[in-house]
Amino acid sequence: MAEILLKVQGLKVAYGGIQAVKGLDLEVREGELVTLIGSNGAGKTTTMKAITGSLPLVDGEIAYLGRSIRGRGAWDLVKDGLAMVPEGRGVFTRMTITENLLMGAYLRSDKAAISQDMDRMFALFPRLKERRDQLAGTMSGGEQQMLAMGRALMSRPRVLLLDEPSMGLSPIMVDKIFEVVKDVHAQGVTVLLVEQNASRALGLADRGYVMESGLLTMDGPARDLLVDPRVRAAYLGE
């Protein structure tokens, strides 16, 4: 069985007097694409922020590569191969596309390989290549999502965390984003995907977790969750 790269046990997170995550257990094995689905306010983004150190834990443990990462920030985890594309993209709006991508490789010193990866990002996202000198803040939401994903991939992550990558995008752009997620996973990157589009996420994933009101209510192979009547009624509009 593949190595567990990311393991979350008993995770509890609270802010503003609200306990948003109430004891979550989750694991991601090497080579998997795992999705965490749920409605707005379920606690999905809070979970991702806790994993990457953006929110403090009330209780629980988070291990990456078999070692605790509790209290470490996202900036510190990138060098160990754990990178996140946050909800809302978070691009550097006053920097160009090229400069944003280079920020993803900030901790690297292998200039030749960085150049190769830049070419790979432009092949993956041709629109970014066309506009490589454009300021990121002048791009559409879909283009910014591509850029945020490209920037994270420039760090050469072992595990890529994606938080709501399709949110607010046009159907055509949603198709493109999921196509890229599929390609990235096929190239050997382990992925944890938080996504409201349950049908698309489960259709792509190996395994899935369902989150409601801060708790995990279901988990299992994605293909099984996709046909489960409870999931279909709650998240697929049936």
Side-chain angles (χ1 to χ4, degrees), residues 25-95:
D25 294 334
L26 175 153
E27 67 180 39
V28 181
R29 293 182 177 273
E30 185 165 23
E32 283 191 312
L33 196 166
V34 175
T35 189
L36 176 61
I37 65 170
S39 59
N40 262 337
K44 305 184 306 297
T45 290
T46 299
T47 297
M48 294 290 259
K49 288 182 175 180
I51 290 172
T52 55
S54 300
L55 285 175
L57 312 189
V58 172
D59 198 7
E61 188 56 75
I62 303 168
Y64 174 62
L65 303 181
R67 299 187 300 274
S68 173
I69 57 171
R70 182 170 178 168
R72 293 178 62 187
W75 63 90
D76 190 37
L77 296 171
V78 171
K79 64 176 179 286
D80 290 335
L82 184 64
M84 179 172 167
V85 179
E87 179 186 8
R89 295 134 201 165
V91 300
F92 300 105
T93 58
R94 297 186 180 184
M95 298 173 68

Side-chain angles (χ1 to χ4, degrees), residues 84-187:
M84 179 172 167
V85 179
E87 179 186 8
R89 295 134 201 165
V91 300
F92 300 105
T93 58
R94 297 186 180 184
M95 298 173 68
T96 67
I97 289 171
T98 299
E99 289 168 339
N100 268 269
L101 290 173
L102 288 173
M103 286 299 293
Y106 181 76
L107 295 174
R108 296 172 55 186
S109 58
D110 48 343
K111 292 184 179 180
I114 289 172
S115 180
Q116 291 174 358
D117 285 348
M118 184 74 76
D119 291 340
R120 188 164 64 93
M121 291 308 107
F122 285 146
L124 197 59
F125 304 105
R127 194 169 304 189
L128 299 185
K129 183 177 182 179
E130 295 168 6
R131 305 181 181 191
R132 61 193 304 163
D133 296 322
Q134 183 175 331
L135 293 180
T138 65
M139 302 166 67
S140 71
E143 291 164 345
Q144 289 188 10
Q145 186 64 57
M146 292 179 186
L147 180 57
M149 292 175 69
R151 183 183 60 193
L153 290 170
M154 285 293 293
S155 70
R156 289 195 172 180
R158 187 168 180 182
V159 178
L160 179 65
L161 309 181
L162 296 170
D163 191 4
E164 302 285 11
S166 74
M167 181 179 287
L169 304 185
S170 69
I172 291 176
M173 196 60 73
V174 169
D175 288 344
K176 174 61 178 176
I177 292 301
F178 275 99
E179 179 185 319
V180 169
V181 174
K182 182 179 180 180
D183 288 347
V184 167
H185 178 239
Q187 292 169 15

